[in-house]
Amino acid sequence: GNSVTQMEGPVTLSEEAFLTINCTYTATGYPSLFWYVQYPGEGLQLLLKATKADDKGSNKGFEATYRKETTSFHLEKGSVQVSDSAVYFCALSKEMDTGRRALTFGSGTRLQVQP
Amino acid sequence: DTAVSQTPKYLVTQMGNDKSIKCEQNLGHDTMYWYKQDSKKFLKIMFSYNNKELIINETVPNRFSPKSPDKAHLNLHINSLELGDSAVYFCASSPIWIRRGGSDTQYFGPGTRLTVL
């Protein structure tokens, strides 16, 4: 079945440090890939997405590239801010046998940015 | 202006009670979902409805019953609550999609924190 594996957290960084959160997936065919962010006390928000191999999703300084050869979708940001502190979820969307699509989430990675 | 709203935000109740969580979306989406997030932040889909039709029903105890009176609402009713039901429950919606293509993006509500004592 489909699965998503993320690096264990928490990830603790100082402000302006470089961020990488690793994400790898297992799926047949060509899933769409997503990063969602959950700020404290809030629901999940879409951060960025990529729908085919070599696509790069980007938003708010975050980037991730869909790498089919390594089945990865690592999240990066060049300079993190305290306001980026949140839990980040990698997810894939895959068509099911019913013809419907469903999201499979990773376990989430908590990012803590210190001033 | 809230796109996906849930009520209540917090729910504290005793074991054995029956409770409901309501979800409404004003985005005009055809598909709605319920997710459960446990204490370790692991997020798992429970149900999905498309145009009031149940299309995803993961391995969830039959004490959980979703109800969709119309495509803008997907309520979650839980019978005989157990301690293990304590979690944050998220509702989400996504636009209509076709078999190939369409939009996968899901829009989440703020969550309902359920505590069973």
Side-chain angles (χ1 to χ4, degrees), chain A residues 32 34 36 38 41-44 46 49 87 89 93 95-103 105-107 110, chain B residues 9 33 35 37 40-43 45 50 53 55-56 90 97 99-101 103-106 108-110:
Chain A
S32 297
F34 304 80
Y36 279 83
Q38 183 179 25
E42 298 183 12
L44 279 74
L46 177 67
K49 71 176 184 180
V87 181
F89 292 90
S93 173
E95 190 170 296
M96 301 163 66
D97 292 339
T98 58
R100 310 295 184 176
R101 301 184 76 92
L103 276 179
F105 284 90
S107 55
R110 181 180 299 279
Chain B
K9 191 172 174 70
Y33 311 81
Y35 289 87
Q37 186 178 46
K40 296 183 178 179
K41 297 292 187 182
F42 187 71
L43 202 68
I45 190 165
N50 181 260
E53 176 192 356
I55 56 172
I56 295 175
F90 287 101
W97 45 267
R99 186 176 177 86
R100 293 195 180 276
S103 175
D104 296 293
T105 303
Q106 293 185 18
F108 283 77

Side-chain angles (χ1 to χ4, degrees), chain A:
Chain A
N2 302 330
S3 67
V4 177
T5 303
Q6 290 181 235
M7 58 191 290
E8 292 273 342
V11 173
T12 303
L13 296 173
S14 298
E15 211 164 18
E16 298 183 3
F18 184 85
L19 168 72
T20 300
I21 300 179
N22 290 339
C23 171
T24 57
Y25 67 90
T26 301
T28 56
Y30 302 92
S32 297
L33 301 174
F34 304 80
W35 277 100
Y36 279 83
V37 59
Q38 183 179 25
Y39 297 103
E42 298 183 12
L44 279 74
Q45 303 172 24
L46 177 67
L47 181 60
L48 53 85
K49 71 176 184 180
T51 57
K52 60 182 189 295
D54 300 324
D55 266 3
K56 177 185 282 187
S58 60
N59 185 26
K60 299 181 182 180
F62 291 89
E63 290 182 342
T65 301
Y66 189 144
R67 301 280 188 207
K68 189 158 177 65
E69 64 276 13
T70 54
T71 62
S72 64
F73 193 54
H74 303 322
L75 182 69
E76 296 182 336
K77 186 174 185 183
S79 175
V80 293
Q81 306 300 313
V82 173
S83 57
D84 294 327
S85 298
V87 181
Y88 291 82
F89 292 90
C90 186
L92 69 83
S93 173
K94 183 71 169 63
E95 190 170 296
M96 301 163 66
D97 292 339
T98 58
R100 310 295 184 176
R101 301 184 76 92
L103 276 179
T104 299
F105 284 90
S107 55
T109 302
R110 181 180 299 279
L111 170 65
Q112 297 173 338
V113 181
Q114 298 173 338

